[in-house]
């Protein structure tokens, strides 16, 4: 058996590649193309993410962790649109074909992909420095996609979950920093297993104005909404949702991590004040932590109670 056939078999045999019983996927892995029937009344949204070893995740990491996180970072964009996960393709560049490593990667991907109904329908495999590219696809009613350009002056600004944990975790997951096992476990999990916000995104899409996911740091990412919507924002640093674990560990730096740290994959959205009760109801019903952190204003960007630098993750 050729090397790449072996790889194809590993992915084809995975639970996440099983498309039986799905009306939308007519053909999955194994032919020249995958074939999909988008459900009536729905539109297709898609998004691509690339993760490079040593840049987006540490060298010599556990392949199960890499697989899980690769899917988590990518589905975060579906959540931010309010879309329902449907299927994905996988561009894999690997230095060597190690079946055990690949089985681990597939296992980690399947751990997240299978329960959310995200099927693997194809991909491509080449030799080179470890790089993982995912294109995820989702379905959404055409008029309900939550865009970055829909924020309105007077909206409240919210974020889900906790901010800053993942960025603070970096020296722990790279092994640069030794910490207690309790602290290690908490931050390792926050970095490698970001909680997806798909259900929250789908439930909130009808009540929000603008929505996006935070991948490069809140202070930097929210400016994409402000620019696209031609508005400004006033945030309050004292309202930022920060874990007691992070505050206890790094009391001085916690707010900076929350504002500028990347890889949180939480949702940031704006909504009219009249929706506050509805948002509280939705998020409580889903047990989705959600915090109001500021307000959309006509122009400018200020963070009350914070004087530091707000530059987030720089891609170049
Ligand atoms: P082709 O040469 O026709 O592009 P390939 O031999 O590259 O086909 O792939 C054969 C099948 O295996 C295709 O269905 C392709 O989508 C799938 N495949 C290849 N690599 C991957 C991968 N990394 N993940 C998922 N499916 C893959
Ligand atoms: Mg072909």
């Amino acid at each position: 058996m050729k090397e790449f056939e072996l790889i194809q078999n590993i992915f084809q045999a995975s639970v996440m590649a099983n498309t039986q019983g799905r009306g939308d996927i007519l053909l999955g892995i194994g032919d020249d193309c995958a074939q999909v029937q988008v459900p009536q009344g729905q539109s297709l949204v898609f998004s691509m993410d690339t993760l490079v070893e040593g840049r987006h995740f540490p060298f010599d990491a556990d392949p199960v962790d890499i697989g899980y996180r690769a899917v988590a970072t990518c589905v975060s964009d579906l959540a931010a649109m309010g879309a329902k996960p449907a299927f994905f393709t996988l561009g894999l560049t690997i230095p060597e074909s190690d079946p055990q490593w690949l089985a681990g990667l597939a296992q980690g991907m399947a751990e997240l992909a299978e329960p959310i109904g995200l099927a693997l329908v194809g991909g491509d495999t080449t030799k080179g420095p470890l790089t993982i590219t995912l294109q995820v696809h989702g379905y959404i009613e055409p008029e309900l996609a939550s865009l970055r350009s829909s924020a309105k002056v007077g909206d409240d600004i919210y974020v889900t979950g906790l901010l800053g944990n993942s960025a603070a975790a970096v020296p722990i997951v790279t092994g640069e920093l030794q910490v207690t096992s309790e602290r290690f476990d908490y931050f390792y999990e926050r970095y490698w297993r970001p909680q997806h916000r798909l259900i929250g995104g789908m439930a909130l899409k009808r009540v929000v104005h603008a929505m996006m996911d935070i991948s490069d740091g809140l202070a930097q990412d929210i400016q994409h909404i402000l620019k696209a919507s031609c508005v400004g924002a006033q945030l309050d640093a004292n309202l930022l949702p920060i874990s007691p674990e992070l505050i206890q560990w790094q009391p001085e730096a916690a707010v900076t991590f929350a504002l500028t740290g990347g890889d949180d994959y939480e949702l940031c959205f704006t909504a009219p004040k009249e929706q506050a009760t509805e948002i509280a109801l939705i998020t409580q019903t889903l047990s989705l932590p959600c915090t109001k952190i500021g307000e959309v204003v006509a122009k400018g960007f200020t963070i009350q109670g914070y004087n530091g630098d707000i530059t987030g993750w720089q891609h170049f």
Side-chain angles (χ1 to χ4, degrees):
M1 193 187 290
K2 281 195 300 207
E3 248 183 20
F4 281 175
E5 267 176 59
L6 184 89
I7 295 163
Q8 185 199 322
N9 288 351
I10 289 172
F11 287 103
Q12 198 163 14
S14 163
V15 283
M16 64 184 162
N18 179 6
T19 57
Q20 267 179 358
R22 280 184 66 142
D24 58 337
I25 300 172
L26 312 179
L27 198 58
I29 293 180
D31 214 308
D32 294 315
C33 291
Q35 190 182 9
V36 173
Q37 182 69 56
V38 178
Q40 269 232 313
Q42 304 278 303
S43 61
L44 187 67
V45 290
F46 45 92
S47 166
M48 181 181 277
D49 268 313
T50 294
L51 302 175
V52 179
E53 184 181 44
R55 175 140 182 92
H56 301 105
F57 59 89
F59 287 102
D60 300 319
D62 181 343
V64 181
D65 285 338
I66 298 173
Y68 189 99
R69 187 162 176 274
V71 177
T73 60
C74 218
V75 297
S76 174
D77 288 310
L78 294 179
M81 293 305 275
K84 181 172 183 276
F87 55 92
F88 74 110
T89 50
L90 170 63
L92 199 54
T93 305
I94 43 175
E96 60 191 342
S97 89
D98 171 352
Q100 216 179 335
W101 189 94
L102 286 161
L105 185 78
Q107 183 196 323
M109 289 184 162
E111 256 178 60
L112 176 49
E114 205 258 339
I116 61 172
L118 185 77
L120 178 61
V121 296
D124 193 28
T125 312
T126 51
K127 189 172 171 138
L130 180 57
T131 306
I132 299 168
T133 299
L134 266 72
Q135 178 149 312
V136 289
H137 304 72
Y139 302 134
I140 192 164
E141 300 81 352
E143 66 289 356
L144 282 183
S146 31
L147 311 183
R148 297 178 177 189
S149 53
S150 309
K152 301 272 182 301
V153 174
D155 280 359
D156 287 329
I157 302 173
Y158 296 84
V159 289
T160 62
L162 299 164
L163 301 178
N165 280 332
S166 187
V170 170
I172 294 179
V173 299
T174 56
E176 240 170 279
L177 199 65
Q178 304 295 315
V179 292
T180 61
S181 67
E182 203 182 328
R183 185 160 284 160
F184 180 91
D185 290 347
Y186 180 80
F187 285 95
Y188 187 97
E189 186 80 5
R190 299 286 93 65
Y191 179 88
W192 284 113
R193 308 268 159 155
Q195 180 71 53
H196 74 77
R197 300 304 186 193
L198 288 159
I199 295 161
M202 282 186 272
L204 288 164
K205 69 184 167 195
R206 287 169 203 280
V207 294
V208 303
H209 274 161
M211 183 152 69
M212 71 177 300
D213 65 317
I214 309 169
S215 52
D216 298 335
L218 169 70
Q220 188 170 300
D221 281 343
I222 197 173
Q223 298 193 51
H224 298 306
I225 289 183
L226 306 184
K227 198 167 168 207
S229 303
C230 300
V231 293
Q234 252 171 19
L235 303 186
D236 185 344
N238 297 307
L239 298 178
L240 296 172
I242 305 177
S243 68
E245 286 82 355
L246 182 54
I247 292 173
Q248 199 187 23
W249 178 31
Q250 306 211 35
E252 305 289 316
V255 172
T256 302
F257 276 122
L259 283 169
T260 66
D263 294 336
D264 288 318
Y265 304 108
E266 294 294 348
L267 297 176
C268 175
F269 61 93
T270 83
K273 290 204 186 307
E274 311 85 80
Q275 294 289 6
T277 315
E278 184 65 19
I279 287 167
L281 192 70
I282 291 171
T283 53
Q284 277 160 25
T285 308
L286 298 176
S287 301
L288 173 65
C290 186
T291 311
K292 185 191 153 186
I293 56 164
E295 199 172 274
V296 177
V297 296
K299 58 182 181 194
F301 178 55
T302 52
I303 306 171
Q304 239 180 322
Y306 185 75
N307 308 316
D309 180 23
I310 52 165
T311 314
W313 167 266
Q314 298 297 309
H315 292 268
F316 290 96

